Amino acid sequence: MTFIAKPKFHHRGIKTNALGFTHRDYEGRISTLCAGCGHDSISSALIEACFELSIEPHRVAKLSGIGCSSKTPDYFLGQSHGFNSVHGRMPSVLTGANLANRELIYLGVSGDGDSASIGLGQFAHCVRRGVNMVYICENNGVYGLTKGQFSATADKGSKSKTAVNSDSPIDLVSLALVLGASFVARSFSGDKKQLVPLLEAAIAHRGSAVLDVISPCVQFNNNPESTKSYDFVREHNEAVNRIDMIVPREEIKVDFEPGTVESVTQHDGSVIRLAKLHPDYDPHNRAAAMAYLQERHAAGEVVTGLLYLDPEAADLHANLNTVETPLNKLGVAELCPGSKALDAVNASYR
Ligand SMILES: Cc1ncc(C[n+]2csc(CCOP(=O)(O)OP(=O)(O)O)c2C)c(N)n1
Ligand code: SF4
Ligand SMILES: [Mg+2]
């Protein structure tokens, strides 16, 4: 219940990160979601990822739409910036905030209804523009908040508590690949070991990072015939790789067989170590990733892991050549340089 405050005291021996923060410093309010909801596990994975990366909470901006999933930013990073926008409109608010201040880490938190139904156009445009963000879709195949109607990501033939879905699904991961996302991953809320490093790598990535996280709705869509249920995903989860994140200050210790691990250095110096679990899967080949996803989906598998990565990607700021200083730090003279400067700009277009 939201009116119950979390106790502030903690054990003296509690683990701290490089900044001296504990997990508590990354938590939010007590969740009001149903007990067992996958979304709560994603919040806890985000807390873990930000703790592990030693992120200063004030450097994060959480943006969301409407839905049980979009409520979750209240339950993690309580000391960060947050904006709960309108259903399906989070991407444009995030894009605007990002353009005004590139110094923050942007977490876009959404649901499958929010992203694949009402917000599909917004999702498409922010991904294709390469907005530097981590876009997380907490995907349960239903509109949880409005009592379990099928969403656009529900598989054809999938059964909820009360109905059978007759429409073809939208796969947000395949869509993100088509749209040019430079980091694309899928995970499962019940697999924290996979989800936490994927979130860490996505945060360290510069460009549009899309994470589709299957997150069962225990209230409306967790029956055995649902392809977004805990049982189904556990039984059909096919991870293509195992990921391990190393932040710049850490020493790289090799504990894999030589040749089985690929190291990818990102813009910020962090290194992603990718252990191949599927010998033929290449996360740098966009077209092959799309074909593989289609093929395995037809075979009834849920493919998870880091599906595509372009570590050299340019983001929206680089594409637009925008000023590095956040707009709120620019003075009047820079924001309004006067008519002579405007004349010069106009002349350059003649
Ligand atoms: C403009 C608008 N249309 C419809 C709604 C009603 N509505 C609220 S949440 C929601 C769907 C949420 O589904 P999803 O994004 O999958 O989130 P979940 O609750 O499943 O996590 C809908 C249709 C709304 N709030 N605003
Ligand atoms: S209705 Fe479903 S999505 Fe919403 S909190 Fe409950 S279990 Fe989670
Ligand atoms: Mg949903």
Side-chain angles (χ1 to χ4, degrees):
M1 294 189 196
T2 40
F3 57 82
I4 300 178
K6 279 190 181 176
K8 291 241 180 325
F9 61 86
H10 54 70
H11 194 273
R12 250 188 280 156
I14 197 168
K15 199 176 152 196
T16 52
N17 63 15
L19 296 174
F21 290 136
T22 70
H23 278 87
R24 272 294 166 82
D25 297 302
Y26 297 91
E27 289 177 0
R29 280 197 271 202
I30 291 175
S31 171
T32 58
L33 302 186
C34 306
C37 175
H39 300 351
D40 278 335
S41 309
I42 301 173
S43 299
S44 125
L46 274 162
I47 290 168
E48 183 69 26
C50 292
F51 171 85
E52 286 297 332
L53 290 178
S54 295
I55 288 172
E56 295 164 295
H58 71 271
R59 286 198 49 232
V60 179
K62 312 165 287 180
L63 295 103
S64 63
I66 299 289
C68 298
S69 34
S70 292
K71 282 170 69 177
T72 62
D74 207 21
Y75 314 137
F76 59 85
L77 295 172
Q79 301 179 58
S80 301
H81 306 276
F83 194 86
N84 188 204
S85 72
V86 180
H87 197 24
R89 272 58 164 199
M90 172 273 283
S92 51
V93 180
L94 188 151
T95 304
N98 183 299
L99 280 171
N101 184 355
R102 63 161 84 182
E103 289 183 352
L104 300 179
I105 295 164
Y106 289 92
L107 301 180
V109 181
S110 182
D112 41 310
D114 202 60
S115 294
S117 297
I118 194 167
L120 189 61
Q122 296 242 338
F123 169 77
H125 291 292
C126 80
V127 171
R128 84 181 176 88
R129 285 181 178 139
V131 179
N132 186 15
M133 62 177 175
V134 181
Y135 192 112
I136 302 155
C137 178
E138 305 192 348
N139 190 349
N140 52 21
V142 286
Y143 298 168
L145 191 72
T146 53
K147 308 239 178 292
Q149 303 86 352
F150 279 122
S151 80
T153 66
D155 285 303
K156 194 169 187 166
S158 180
K159 292 182 186 138
S160 73
K161 257 185 179 176
T162 52
V164 181
N165 181 44
S166 55
D167 298 334
S168 294
I170 291 175
D171 178 19
L172 287 172
V173 152
S174 301
L175 196 55
L177 286 167
V178 173
L179 292 166
S182 45
F183 182 113
V184 182
R186 178 153 50 215
S187 191
F188 171 43
S189 63
D191 188 353
K192 216 171 163 185
K193 238 179 142 179
Q194 182 192 54
L195 180 56
V196 173
L198 278 176
L199 284 167
E200 289 177 23
I203 290 170
H205 180 73
R206 191 190 298 162
S208 285
V210 177
L211 256 115
D212 179 32
V213 187
I214 315 272
S215 175
C217 168
V218 290
Q219 192 63 255
F220 299 110
N221 203 19
N222 193 36
N223 50 304
E225 296 89 9
S226 160
T227 58
K228 300 281 192 286
S229 65
Y230 281 110
D231 285 349
F232 183 90
V233 183
R234 279 193 190 116
E235 275 165 33
H236 299 86
N237 187 346
E238 283 299 322
V240 287
N241 44 39
R242 186 151 67 82
I243 177 169
D244 201 7
M245 263 289 288
I246 301 154
V247 288
R249 61 182 170 276
E250 284 176 5
E251 171 198 357
I252 300 179
K253 295 188 203 111
V254 179
D255 57 357
F256 290 108
E257 287 288 306
T260 62
V261 176
E262 184 198 357
S263 292
V264 185
T265 306
Q266 301 212 94
H267 281 104
D268 65 347
S270 63
V271 178
I272 296 177
R273 282 193 306 173
L274 269 177
K276 277 193 170 199
L277 297 181
H278 191 286
D280 302 330
Y281 195 83
D282 175 10
H284 306 294
N285 186 335
R286 195 183 284 275
M290 289 194 265
Y292 185 80
L293 284 168
Q294 297 253 336
E295 183 198 305
R296 299 328 304 157
H297 182 257
E301 282 173 14
V302 182
V303 177
T304 59
L306 179 54
L307 304 172
Y308 179 74
L309 174 67
D310 175 4
E312 306 296 329
D315 78 334
L316 180 64
H317 283 283
N319 295 340
L320 295 181
N321 192 22
T322 56
V323 62
E324 276 191 25
T325 315
L327 299 189
N328 65 356
K329 288 191 186 156
L330 291 176
V332 177
E334 290 140 315
L335 287 169
C336 189
S339 56
K340 274 196 185 145
L342 182 62
D343 289 345
V345 172
N346 286 340
S348 73
Y349 289 115
R350 283 189 196 113

